[in-house]
Amino acid sequence: MRVVHCGKFYPPQYNGGLEAVMVGLNAELVRRGISVTAVVSAWRSPGGVDEVAGVRVVRAAAWGVLFSQPVAPSLPSLLRREPGDLVHLHHPNPLGDWAASRDRGRPLVITHHSEIVRQRFLWPAVGPVVRAALQRARLVAIGSEQLLRTSQELRGFESKARVIPFGIDTARFALTPFVATRARELRARWQDRPVVLGVGRLVGYKGYDVLLQASRGLDALVVIVGTGPEERRLRALAGGRSNVVFAGHVPDEELPAYYHACDVFCLPSLSIAEAFGMVLLEAMACGKPLVTTALPTGVSAVNRDGQTGLVVQPGDAGALAEALAALLADQPLGASMGAAAKVVQAREYTAELMGERYVALYREALA
């Protein structure tokens, strides 16, 4: 079987939630002997072809990014030229939607990672393109029942939908001697204070401004890993407080130590733009309790309120502060929820399970 993915970007040039899913899935496909190509846009570099962990990556030269969409005119022709038994499109990605809808010589499957939210004002223009891709697709994978029930874009296409939860390579987050040593170093740097960790791009829908408001008066250090366009505003909002650390970009090999060094993991997202939250799975693999917001997406499927963590209403800084304080004050409760989170992740959200389910999806599409 030969699979050709069509995405926005691909590591190591760019790392986001969608890209993390592609990399995790492709590792499983390669492990199963499946030929994998990814056709994507280049990120701040010329286009070209390279290989990443057994995956042929074809990067289309891009003129820039407009409304979160790379402007890469050559991507459709590059996709058509790549041989494969089927095309796997990763949405949201209007240019990819357009390219895949016109690649008519082979079956199309789509992973609907999330709705188009921040650029919804463009829907009159991009909506017909998205729907054309959905009409041509044989099957559409989506990460959770919650997002399927609330999706506006998939209305009328429910019969094509298959729920396939995302997953991670659990072994990557094991407490190895190196990770344990690095975690102890981080704890020492943070003066062994209780730690609330957030990991993600610093963009508006992530809700880090609400976390900063909630952290006022909280007897804990808030560590935020990531960079993005909101960084300057968030730093100004923090006002140089000693209980807030902006860790910036952390390399992949260092990230497990940050998870193991924290007491509670927080994802305070504000909108359905947070369709799943891969970082939740990473924190769960490290045995950490979660505090998340009540969103009608995969976030609510992953974090089970009262079992793997606590759930509050989006944008409610007071409720967020109370939930964080409750877990920090009751260490046995936090440990119990963290242990439950680790079990749930290992049982339901592994890359191996995701790969197995996608291979079955491909076979159904090819039948």
Side-chain angles (χ1 to χ4, degrees), residues 202-246:
L202 305 187
V203 292
Y205 76 83
K206 293 290 185 180
Y208 289 124
D209 52 348
V210 181
L211 176 58
L212 291 176
Q213 294 172 38
S215 70
R216 295 183 184 277
L218 191 68
D219 185 20
L221 187 69
V222 173
V223 178
I224 299 176
V225 171
T227 61
E230 288 283 293
E231 183 170 353
R232 180 177 296 181
R233 186 178 76 88
L234 292 171
R235 285 183 178 274
L237 185 61
R241 282 189 281 133
S242 61
N243 73 326
V244 178
V245 172
F246 289 92

Side-chain angles (χ1 to χ4, degrees), residues 176-218:
T176 64
F178 169 80
V179 171
T181 298
R182 187 72 182 105
R184 285 195 297 270
E185 292 171 352
L186 289 170
R187 294 291 300 195
R189 182 195 304 175
W190 299 331
Q191 301 178 328
D192 283 321
R193 301 174 68 181
V195 175
V196 174
L197 179 67
V199 177
R201 291 195 69 231
L202 305 187
V203 292
Y205 76 83
K206 293 290 185 180
Y208 289 124
D209 52 348
V210 181
L211 176 58
L212 291 176
Q213 294 172 38
S215 70
R216 295 183 184 277
L218 191 68

Side-chain angles (χ1 to χ4, degrees), residues 4-314:
V4 181
H5 291 272
C6 182
K8 278 188 177 181
F9 305 109
Y10 204 82
Q13 291 187 359
Y14 185 95
N15 292 280
L18 186 153
E19 290 74 27
V21 172
M22 288 181 67
V23 168
L25 172 58
N26 286 343
E28 287 298 315
L29 298 180
V30 169
R31 189 172 68 83
R32 287 168 166 80
I34 294 173
S35 172
V36 182
T37 298
V39 180
V40 298
S41 298
W43 172 256
R44 296 178 178 173
S45 73
V49 180
D50 60 330
E51 184 173 306
V52 180
V55 177
R56 172 180 163 86
V57 182
V58 180
R59 303 182 197 269
W63 296 347
V65 177
L66 182 65
F67 300 119
S68 298
Q69 172 64 57
V71 182
S74 65
L75 187 142
S77 61
L78 291 173
L79 178 65
R80 284 196 301 272
R81 288 203 293 265
E82 283 301 314
D85 298 310
L86 60 80
V87 172
H88 184 166
L89 170 67
H90 296 266
H91 174 85
N93 182 6
L95 178 61
D97 291 329
W98 187 84
S101 67
R102 281 154 180 75
D103 187 308
R104 299 183 181 278
R106 48 198 168 177
L108 171 65
V109 300
I110 298 175
T111 293
H112 185 84
H113 290 261
S114 70
E115 305 280 280
I116 295 175
V117 179
R118 286 175 293 166
Q119 295 81 26
R120 197 68 186 179
F121 64 94
L122 294 173
W123 188 251
V126 302
V129 177
V130 173
R131 293 189 68 81
L134 288 168
Q135 286 166 356
R136 203 184 88 66
R138 291 194 179 177
L139 296 168
V140 180
I142 190 166
S144 70
E145 292 280 0
Q146 287 84 346
L147 187 56
L148 176 59
R149 286 197 297 267
T150 59
S151 172
Q152 297 181 27
E153 295 177 22
L154 294 183
R155 287 180 183 170
F157 300 100
E158 292 87 351
S159 63
K160 296 183 177 185
R162 305 290 185 271
V163 175
I164 301 181
F166 301 137
I168 61 169
D169 178 7
T170 308
R172 182 183 154 222
F173 298 92
L175 188 61
T176 64
F178 169 80
V179 171
T181 298
R182 187 72 182 105
R184 285 195 297 270
E185 292 171 352
L186 289 170
R187 294 291 300 195
R189 182 195 304 175
W190 299 331
Q191 301 178 328
D192 283 321
R193 301 174 68 181
V195 175
V196 174
L197 179 67
V199 177
R201 291 195 69 231
L202 305 187
V203 292
Y205 76 83
K206 293 290 185 180
Y208 289 124
D209 52 348
V210 181
L211 176 58
L212 291 176
Q213 294 172 38
S215 70
R216 295 183 184 277
L218 191 68
D219 185 20
L221 187 69
V222 173
V223 178
I224 299 176
V225 171
T227 61
E230 288 283 293
E231 183 170 353
R232 180 177 296 181
R233 186 178 76 88
L234 292 171
R235 285 183 178 274
L237 185 61
R241 282 189 281 133
S242 61
N243 73 326
V244 178
V245 172
F246 289 92
H249 170 72
V250 172
D252 286 348
E253 62 271 17
E254 291 274 334
L255 191 54
Y258 278 76
Y259 286 116
H260 282 285
C262 80
D263 296 283
V264 178
F265 185 81
C266 183
L267 187 66
S269 304
L270 300 175
S271 80
I272 61 169
E274 192 69 80
F276 196 86
M278 295 296 287
V279 291
L280 295 176
L281 305 185
E282 297 173 354
M284 294 167 81
C286 298
K288 300 302 172 179
L290 311 174
V291 175
T292 61
T293 49
L295 297 173
T297 67
V299 173
S300 295
V302 173
N303 185 21
R304 290 95 193 261
D305 193 20
Q307 179 186 353
T308 59
L310 300 176
V311 178
V312 302
Q313 289 302 308

